[in-house]
Amino acid sequence: MACETKTWLVLHLLLLVTCYMQHCVHGQSSQVPCIFIFGDGLSGNGNNNMLPTTAKANYNPYGIDFPTGPTGRATNGRTAIDIIGELLGFADFIPPFANTSGSNITKGVNYASGSAGIREETGKHMGANVAFGLQIENHKIIVSRLAANLGGLPQARNYLNKCLYYVNIGSSDYINNYYMPQFYTTSRIYSPEQYAKTLVNQISLYIQTLHDVGARKLVLVGLGRIGCTPKVIAANGNGLCDENKNADALIFSHKLKSLVDKFNTLHLDSKSIFLNRTARAVLDRSLGFTVFNNSCCPMNSNGMCIPNSIPCMNRKEYVFYDGVHVTSTVNNLTASTAYDSASNPETTYPMDIKHLAQYTFT
Ligand SMILES: *[C@@H]1O[C@H](CO)[C@@H](O)[C@H](O)[C@H]1NC(C)=O
Ligand SMILES: *[C@@H]1O[C@H](CO)[C@@H](O)[C@H](O)[C@H]1NC(C)=O
Ligand SMILES: *[C@@H]1O[C@H](CO)[C@@H](O)[C@H](O)[C@H]1NC(C)=O
Ligand SMILES: *[C@@H]1O[C@H](CO)[C@@H](O)[C@H](O)[C@H]1NC(C)=O
Ligand SMILES: *[C@@H]1O[C@H](CO)[C@@H](O)[C@H](O)[C@H]1NC(C)=O
């Protein structure tokens, strides 16, 4: 008996050590098995690198604070979803869809594409991008590949049910569509209220498709204050935010938040949450920011950093890195409050990512 206990103990210890040496250290201890990322340049990590478009971020001074330099991330360091992944216990970054042949898709895939929108035409004045609809199609390809790897569709579904699905899209449908009447007709067709409604209806259809292929834990991210981006402020000419544009973004975000309620009522087997990117807690002056209305890098007319330009030194004091994308300091704050909102409950609804990851369906 004593001997058995001892053997068991030794075995258990051995297992622990093995786990420590091989898996746990290498990210097997992540709180969800995988993350699938849908969105635009706020989440992109290289999908546009090989596309014919000017909406790229794989050149200096992007990535100046990223371990491997420029990668296609439209910020100085890590994106918000990079940091959320780390907080969830992932040791490696989630690979871009464009580069999945050389990487392991088991822990998730990033489909996000700079300038992309919910609408197919959004951002196309800069060249190609992967719109939300195509990102969903790409996910279906990955689901089939996972089914082949895991021994069948039921096994894949069972695995995919536990993953996190992060959707941060819509800014571009305003900045690179609705506010560009010289290229797009939407502002002549829709009022801001109608436009937000068509966009959120479209998101609703797309997340239904994600649900159909196994998504059960979804994070839907609201828009930032698009009227306060340096690109818009520069166009305004007076150094001030465009409050009409902020109001448009707020209409969209309120509808997205309502969609979370609708989807949670409709699907008791899944849970969605809404992230409020304009909550007071995220961008407080007391957090050390001093520059709100200007980009850290010199920007071109699309609001992207001018290649090889010299960015600001005090990047922790800047909200924006280029004309439309925030610094990794802001991403740090967004990610940490999204992950654990105990001290800032208004940033997540109805729960934070930490609780969503732990959530079990009854
Ligand atoms: C593509 O995948 C390879 C192999 O995993 C990796 O070395 C390379 O850095 C990846 N490139 C990008 C842009 O992610
Ligand atoms: C991918 O990662 C999973 C889990 O980390 C592992 O079990 C699998 O063998 C890996 N597949 C490849 C092709 O490396
Ligand atoms: C930003 O705001 C400051 C202070 O309010 C102002 O002096 C400056 O001109 C503004 N910068 C831009 C680019 O509008
Ligand atoms: C986000 O939070 C701000 C204030 O913290 C609030 O004014 C706004 O209505 C919230 N947005 C949504 C969509 O609930
Ligand atoms: C982000 O937060 C981490 C941990 O708190 C810190 O080490 C890092 O310097 C921060 N990065 C930025 C850009 O603020």
Side-chain angles (χ1 to χ4, degrees):
M1 183 70 188
C3 178
E4 256 174 50
T5 313
K6 240 188 196 165
T7 315
W8 185 85
L9 240 173
V10 168
L11 257 173
H12 196 74
L13 267 173
L14 249 173
L15 271 174
L16 264 176
V17 170
T18 319
C19 166
Y20 182 73
M21 283 175 23
Q22 313 187 331
H23 304 292
C24 304
V25 169
H26 295 294
Q28 285 278 318
S29 57
S30 59
Q31 295 151 44
V32 288
C34 41
I35 308 179
F36 294 97
I37 301 155
F38 302 84
D40 52 29
L42 290 169
S43 310
N45 65 348
N47 286 317
N48 283 19
N49 293 0
M50 304 302 277
L51 292 183
T53 175
T54 53
K56 286 184 199 287
N58 55 339
Y59 57 83
N60 285 315
Y62 287 112
I64 188 168
D65 301 314
F66 193 79
T68 56
T71 55
R73 286 171 174 81
T75 182
N76 52 311
R78 292 169 299 166
T79 63
I81 189 61
D82 283 336
I83 301 165
I84 290 170
E86 284 174 17
L87 293 169
L88 285 167
F90 286 78
D92 300 313
F93 295 116
I94 305 298
F97 177 78
N99 194 29
T100 46
S101 55
S103 44
N104 194 333
I105 57 174
T106 319
K107 287 177 186 162
V109 173
N110 186 335
Y111 307 97
S113 164
S115 85
I118 299 156
R119 294 177 69 89
E120 212 280 320
E121 81 272 14
T122 291
K124 296 292 198 301
H125 68 282
M126 286 185 265
N129 65 35
V130 188
F132 196 11
L134 193 50
Q135 294 184 26
I136 302 275
E137 292 306 312
N138 289 341
H139 180 60
K140 289 184 186 165
I141 296 172
I142 293 295
V143 170
S144 312
R145 259 203 253 166
L146 276 171
N149 290 354
L150 296 172
L153 204 51
Q155 287 89 333
R157 285 287 161 81
N158 188 38
Y159 183 75
L160 289 164
N161 284 178
K162 301 178 182 73
C163 303
L164 194 75
Y165 297 77
Y166 179 87
V167 177
N168 185 0
I169 199 156
S171 316
S172 211
D173 292 291
Y174 288 88
I175 295 171
N176 295 312
N177 184 330
Y178 200 65
Y179 300 145
M180 291 202 150
Q182 68 276 38
F183 294 118
Y184 306 94
T185 57
T186 48
S187 61
R188 293 189 281 279
I189 301 173
Y190 303 108
S191 69
E193 173 72 28
Q194 291 166 333
Y195 192 57
K197 194 172 173 192
T198 66
L199 293 177
V200 175
N201 280 346
Q202 194 60 57
I203 292 189
S204 162
L205 298 176
Y206 285 140
I207 63 171
Q208 178 62 55
T209 306
L210 285 180
H211 183 270
D212 292 345
V213 295
R216 294 295 180 270
K217 295 182 174 188
L218 293 103
V219 180
L220 303 182
V221 187
L223 299 185
R225 287 195 180 84
I226 49 188
C228 295
T229 56
K231 182 179 185 243
V232 169
I233 289 175
N236 236 8
N238 56 6
L240 299 175
C241 297
D242 183 332
E243 293 302 341
N244 290 328
K245 292 186 169 62
N246 287 341
D248 294 348
L250 200 55
I251 297 172
F252 174 95
S253 297
H254 276 296
K255 290 191 190 301
L256 192 64
K257 191 176 177 183
S258 303
L259 175 60
V260 161
D261 276 333
K262 269 186 231 149
F263 210 71
N264 284 338
T265 310
L266 188 65
H267 298 290
L268 297 177
D269 64 349
S270 88
K271 200 58 143 178
S272 317
I273 68 167
F274 168 77
L275 297 191
N276 186 342
R277 285 206 291 127
T278 63
R280 275 177 288 270
V282 179
L283 280 187
D284 203 305
R285 242 170 227 280
S286 69
L287 296 167
F289 295 106
T290 60
V291 186
F292 294 79
N293 61 353
N294 213 347
S295 65
C296 169
C297 72
M299 60 173 168
N300 66 22
S301 61
N302 284 327
M304 302 300 289
C305 293
I306 292 170
N308 300 314
S309 58
I310 308 293
C312 65
M313 294 294 287
N314 50 340
R315 291 184 282 281
K316 289 198 164 153
E317 293 180 28
Y318 276 70
V319 170
F320 288 93
Y321 191 58
D322 65 14
V324 280
H325 303 103
V326 290
T327 56
S328 51
T329 311
V330 174
N331 289 334
N332 240 11
L333 290 165
T334 306
S336 51
T337 55
Y339 178 72
D340 182 347
S341 68
S343 56
N344 306 294
E346 63 177 9
T347 57
T348 62
Y349 174 85
M351 66 180 81
D352 58 23
I353 292 177
K354 189 171 148 186
H355 287 91
L356 181 65
Q358 290 163 0
Y359 195 84
T360 49
F361 300 97
T362 47

